[in-house]
Amino acid sequence: ENTDIFETDLKQVFDYIRYSKDGEKLKHLVETDCAYRNISEDAYDVIAAFTHADQLTENKNTYKEGGRINMCEALTQLIENGRNEGISIGRNEGISIGRNEGRDEGISIKMKELIRKKLSKGKSISVIADELEATVGEIERFMEVMWNCPDTTLLSIDFKDIPLELRKLVNN
């Protein structure tokens, strides 16, 4: 608990391991304890091993000078790498969500067009449902949204409920 009794790099090793799960405390520790700017290679290796920080091991030589390592710079880079990885993951998820929403909106627009064209030709709802390989209920749901909200897409409809054949037809 009290690591102040150590006069070697053991203090930094134990403190780092203790706070390794709390990023803010760890960052504060490394920024305020000058010893982390010049830690022994052995202490650095122990920290990397016990905290399973593979990036510290991989990038050790970048921060090494004369057998000592600047842990402050290594941790700053580790945090930055983690932040960039998080941003990348978030961006990719956002792109995927955007694509799915765009696809659904495209299906919605195409469905409106198909139903309107078929209605303008005087076809009944049951004929439209038959031609689009959908149920009368599904076509009625589309039509209800179209007439109640003519300026919106049909995003309120769960496209997973639409038969695969109908989705394929709409996508063509």
Side-chain angles (χ1 to χ4, degrees):
E1 191 79 17
N2 180 12
T3 57
D4 291 334
I5 60 172
F6 297 107
E7 296 180 15
T8 64
D9 286 341
L10 276 178
K11 175 186 179 344
Q12 284 69 39
V13 169
F14 289 135
D15 284 344
Y16 192 99
I17 292 170
R18 179 179 5 175
Y19 295 120
S20 65
K21 301 286 184 207
D22 185 336
E24 287 302 313
K25 285 184 180 178
L26 182 61
K27 184 177 178 188
H28 176 73
L29 172 74
V30 173
E31 287 175 348
T32 57
D33 186 343
C34 300
Y36 286 102
R37 289 184 178 85
N38 191 25
I39 197 166
S40 74
E41 185 172 356
D42 289 339
Y44 183 93
D45 291 340
V46 170
I47 288 171
F50 274 92
T51 59
H52 305 288
D54 296 335
Q55 283 185 330
L56 288 178
T57 304
E58 292 167 8
N59 299 324
K60 177 171 73 171
N61 290 331
T62 305
Y63 310 104
K64 184 176 171 182
E65 189 174 309
R68 310 288 289 176
I69 298 175
N70 186 334
M71 189 79 190
C72 297
E73 288 182 21
L75 181 61
T76 299
Q77 188 61 47
L78 186 67
I79 291 169
E80 185 64 27
N81 290 348
R83 184 177 295 120
N84 289 339
E85 184 177 336
I87 288 169
S88 177
I89 290 169
R91 183 176 293 128
N92 289 338
E93 287 177 9
I95 289 169
S96 177
I97 290 168
R99 283 185 181 137
N100 291 337
E101 287 178 2
R103 190 175 305 115
D104 288 349
E105 190 167 343
I107 290 171
S108 168
I109 291 167
K110 186 68 173 178
M111 280 299 297
K112 281 183 183 181
E113 289 173 10
L114 288 172
I115 292 171
R116 282 191 178 130
K117 283 180 184 177
K118 291 179 182 296
L119 286 171
S120 70
K121 293 178 181 178
K123 294 185 179 184
S124 69
I125 293 174
S126 60
V127 169
I128 294 171
D130 185 52
E131 289 179 356
L132 295 178
E133 297 181 20
T135 66
V136 169
E138 290 167 334
I139 298 301
E140 286 173 342
R141 282 182 28 217
F142 273 95
M143 289 174 61
E144 182 180 339
V145 173
M146 284 169 46
W147 271 268
N148 290 335
C149 310
D151 293 335
T152 64
T153 62
L154 301 173
L155 293 178
S156 61
I157 293 182
D158 187 357
F159 287 93
K160 293 177 197 91
D161 295 338
I162 299 171
L164 182 61
E165 296 80 20
L166 181 58
R167 282 186 268 149
K168 285 179 182 176
L169 178 65
V170 171
N171 280 328
N172 290 335

